[in-house]
Structure formats: C-alpha cells, structure tokens
C-alpha cells in the first residue's frame, strides 16, 4: 500500500497510554491522541484538508486559485503543505506570537506571509489577522478565505475522522474527553461524535487564563495555538460539560514533564491539556478511560517552551524551578 499524495497520509494517528497520568489503583487509564503524527505534525492537517475539500465542492477550485487564512501557525503549515500539493497560491496571515519555525515552514512550501504587527485594543492580534485575511480575499480574483473559526467543515473533519478513530481505538469505551480550544473545531467534532454514542461522556474544554472562548475578560498570554480573544462560531459550548483555564506556567511545566516522563515532545497546548487533566484526575473515581487530544509537536517550540533562557526572559523561570522539585 502507498499514498498518492500527502493528503492521503492525514489521520489514523496513534493513541498512547500515558503512564505518568494513569492510576492502576483507581482503574484510571489516560490516553493521548497524538495529532503530531499527522504529516504536518498537527491536528490542523485534518481541518485544513476538509476546509479545502469543502471549498472545492463549493467553488470548483483549480490550480492557480488563491487561499488566504488567518492563523497562529499550525493551520498555516497545514494549508501551505496542501496548497503546494494542489497548485493553489497560499497567503498566510500571521502575527509576532507565531513561532519562527512556523513562519519558515509556510515559506518553505511556497506560501506568502502577511504579518500583522499591531494588536487591537484588547492586546490580541487575532481580530486584526482575521480582518486582513478577509480584506485580501475581497480584493483578489479567484481568492477564498476559508474562515477556520466559523466554517463547519472544520468540525466535520473531526466528526468524521478523529472521533471515529478514538471510538474504534478504545472499542467505544471512552468516559472522559479533554481537549483545548481555539477555533473549537476539533473539540466540537470529537465531542459530538462520542457523545452521540455515549451520552454519559464528560467533556472538558481547556483554554489559557486570559482567553475568552468560554467567557471572561481577555488578557494576553504566551501559549500559542490555543485560546482566543472572542468566541468563534465553531465552538459548540453545549457539548462541553466543564471548562478549565490554565496559566502559562502550568502549561509549560506540564509540556516539559511530558518530555521527561513520557518521551513526548509536544507543544504548549498539549501541556495545557495535560495540566487540566491532572487537575481533573485528582478528584476522579475510577474505573475510567480518559482521552486527551494532543494537538501538535513540540519541535516548533524548541526556541520558546523548551528554551530555558526564553522562559526566564518572560519571567517564567519558575517553570524550571518546579521541574527541579518533586512532581506534584
């Protein structure tokens, strides 16, 4: 068996039991859905592929068309990769929080980068990025803004892909789902699929302290690819039973613990999910199967989350202090 193009390699990511979070004495098993094993190293490969499929159905895309999208990084990587395969021009609207590796990846696949450098009144770049993407799409011929924040095709990618995979991998025995949100697409799609098959499933949504996807007052945060300064249309709040907000310190400690304890180099958003899971598991009675959706690889964050000097420069040296001490 072989694939005909890179898009055919998206999905069928592994499920890994996490020894450091599971507890045999309570019958609690914790599993990580490793979306870093997609060809573009993130969960956004699935969303990007389905967004393009829907655009082809709606607009008869052909080589030479332009795709423009606002992103914090991973969607840009995924779309740049897929647009290269299909012969589309890709314009990626990014901001200074985007890891340099993600910027370079977009360019490596032939994508054009438009950088938004001035935040809006809240201190976030997200609304300005979206406005720039829409403006570009409105002025260029044969150009489409996919709108990952509100386009239900992004949810479908996970309802028809990620959700069924998890269900199959655990023979339908899923009791708790924990996932982070930015656009909300992967959590909404997976939660919908699994809840239709197990109405008793508990779903926890995770976002950074300062994010307002599930409400609150926006404050800037350092976590990348997770959280927003507004609530996007693809968040299905009715599917989420509880919300946990994670500080930058907690997210980065948890991410680096996964590297030390499990040999998993994952992004800060996976750290947020892991930190939220630790909080949830502390009061959980087993037996129970818990699935954590881990969005991306940590390779793109070697200069940030995994760089001691970067942490110290952002007044997060406490992350290193906690890692040296006894594990909580």
């Amino acid at each position: 068996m072989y694939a005909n193009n890179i898009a055919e390699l998206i999905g069928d990511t592994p499920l890994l039991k996490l020894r450091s979070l599971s507890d045999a004495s309570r019958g609690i098993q914790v599993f990580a859905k490793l979306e870093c094993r997609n060809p573009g190293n993130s969960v956004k490969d699935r969303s990007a592929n389905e967004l393009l499929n829907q655009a082809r159905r709606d607009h008869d895309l052909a080589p030479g068309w332009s795709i423009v999208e606002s992103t914090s990084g991973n969607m840009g990587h995924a779309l740049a990769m897929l647009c290269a395969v299909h012969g589309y021009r890709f314009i990626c609207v990014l901001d200074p929080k985007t890891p340099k590796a993600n910027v370079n990846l977009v360019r490596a696949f032939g994508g054009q980068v438009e950088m938004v450098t001035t935040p809006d009144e809240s201190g976030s770049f997200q609304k300005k990025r979206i406005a720039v993407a829409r403006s570009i799409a409105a002025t260029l011929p044969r150009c489409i803004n996919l709108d990952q924040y509100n386009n239900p095709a992004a949810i479908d990618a996970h309802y028809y892909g990620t959700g069924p995979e998890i269900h199959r991998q655990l023979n339908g025995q899923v009791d708790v789902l924990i996932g982070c949100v930015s656009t909300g697409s992967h959590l909404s799609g997976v939660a919908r699929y699994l809840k239709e098959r197990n109405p008793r499933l508990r779903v926890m949504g995770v976002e950074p302290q300062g994010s307002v996807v599930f409400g609150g007052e926006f404050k800037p945060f350092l976590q990348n690819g997770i959280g927003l300064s507004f609530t996007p249309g693809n968040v299905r709040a009715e599917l989420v039973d509880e919300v946990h907000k994670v500080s930058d310190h907690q997210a980065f400690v948890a991410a680096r613990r996964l590297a030390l304890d499990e040999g998993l180099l994952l992004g800060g958003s996976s750290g947020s999910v892991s930190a939220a899971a630790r909080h949830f598991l502390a009061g959980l009675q087993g037996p129970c199967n818990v699935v954590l959706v881990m969005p991306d690889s940590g390779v793109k964050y070697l200069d940030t989350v995994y760089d001691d000097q970067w942490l110290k420069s952002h007044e997060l040296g406490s992350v290193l202090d906690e890692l040296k001490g006894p594990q909580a």
Side-chain angles (χ1 to χ4, degrees):
M1 292 289 291
Y2 62 89
N4 292 293
N5 63 58
I6 200 75
E8 293 181 4
L9 298 178
I10 295 172
D12 290 322
T13 55
L15 199 65
L16 174 69
K17 183 176 178 179
L18 299 179
R19 299 169 300 168
S20 61
L21 291 177
S22 297
D23 185 344
S25 67
R26 289 186 287 162
I28 296 172
Q29 298 188 99
V30 181
F31 301 91
K33 182 66 167 165
L34 297 177
E35 290 300 290
C36 61
R37 296 292 293 274
N38 282 303
N41 306 125
S42 88
V43 70
K44 292 296 187 180
D45 286 12
R46 298 179 189 261
S47 299
N49 196 41
E50 188 54 36
L51 286 167
L52 287 174
N53 287 340
Q54 186 63 53
R56 279 191 286 271
R57 291 190 289 268
D58 291 345
H59 302 283
D60 295 324
L61 292 187
W65 279 63
S66 297
I67 302 295
V68 59
E69 188 63 19
S70 160
T71 169
S72 61
N74 282 327
M75 178 61 81
H77 178 184
L79 283 173
M81 175 182 72
L82 293 171
C83 284
V85 170
H86 297 296
Y88 308 143
R89 175 191 179 194
F90 178 52
I91 305 167
C92 188
V93 185
L94 300 169
D95 66 56
K97 278 185 64 178
T98 306
K100 183 179 179 181
N102 262 326
V103 179
N104 289 339
L105 280 165
V106 170
R107 290 179 171 142
F109 289 114
Q112 173 183 333
V113 172
E114 294 293 330
M115 190 69 69
V116 173
T117 58
T118 305
D120 62 25
E121 67 282 355
S122 71
S124 167
F125 295 93
Q126 293 151 347
K127 291 180 181 177
K128 283 202 170 182
R129 283 201 330 251
I130 292 168
V132 168
R134 288 174 176 168
S135 175
I136 291 171
T139 56
L140 287 180
R142 299 194 304 166
C143 182
I144 298 171
N145 174 211
L146 297 174
D147 188 10
Q148 62 167 322
Y149 306 92
N150 301 293
N151 190 331
I155 297 177
D156 290 345
H158 303 284
Y159 179 80
Y160 293 107
T162 322
E165 285 175 26
I166 292 170
H167 189 266
R168 182 178 67 252
Q169 287 167 321
L170 287 175
N171 296 315
Q173 303 303 307
V174 185
D175 303 296
V176 178
L177 174 70
I178 302 178
C180 60
V181 293
S182 53
T183 68
S185 302
H186 76 258
L187 185 63
S188 296
V190 175
R192 179 182 150 208
Y193 182 88
L194 294 179
K195 280 206 167 192
E196 286 178 355
R197 284 144 187 86
N198 176 16
R200 295 185 302 277
L201 176 79
R202 294 176 67 181
V203 176
M204 173 182 279
V206 181
E207 65 177 327
Q209 290 180 3
S211 169
V212 299
V213 172
F214 291 108
E217 180 181 353
F218 180 81
K219 294 181 180 178
F221 47 85
L222 291 172
Q223 296 169 64
N224 187 261
I226 173 175
L228 286 174
S229 59
F230 60 96
T231 301
N234 276 354
V235 170
R236 301 290 188 262
E238 70 277 7
L239 297 171
V240 178
D241 299 295
E242 55 191 286
V243 173
H244 189 71
K245 300 204 176 192
V246 178
S247 69
D248 291 332
H249 170 95
Q250 293 167 331
F252 300 157
V253 166
R256 293 184 65 148
R257 277 184 175 162
L258 286 169
L260 296 171
D261 297 342
E262 303 282 354
L264 287 173
L265 191 70
L266 303 177
S269 56
S270 295
S272 297
V273 173
S274 178
R278 283 185 183 276
H279 172 82
F280 177 81
L281 294 167
L284 184 63
Q285 299 300 314
C288 188
N289 283 344
V290 181
V291 173
L292 315 182
V293 181
M294 302 304 212
D296 70 350
S297 164
V299 172
K300 290 169 280 192
Y301 309 101
L302 290 174
D303 293 333
T304 56
V305 177
Y306 295 97
D307 185 288
D308 294 356
Q309 293 306 312
W310 183 88
L311 290 172
K312 291 175 182 177
S313 71
H314 288 83
E315 300 182 352
L316 283 167
S318 57
V319 169
L320 305 176
D321 295 335
E322 185 166 341
L323 290 169
K324 292 175 184 175
Q327 184 169 314

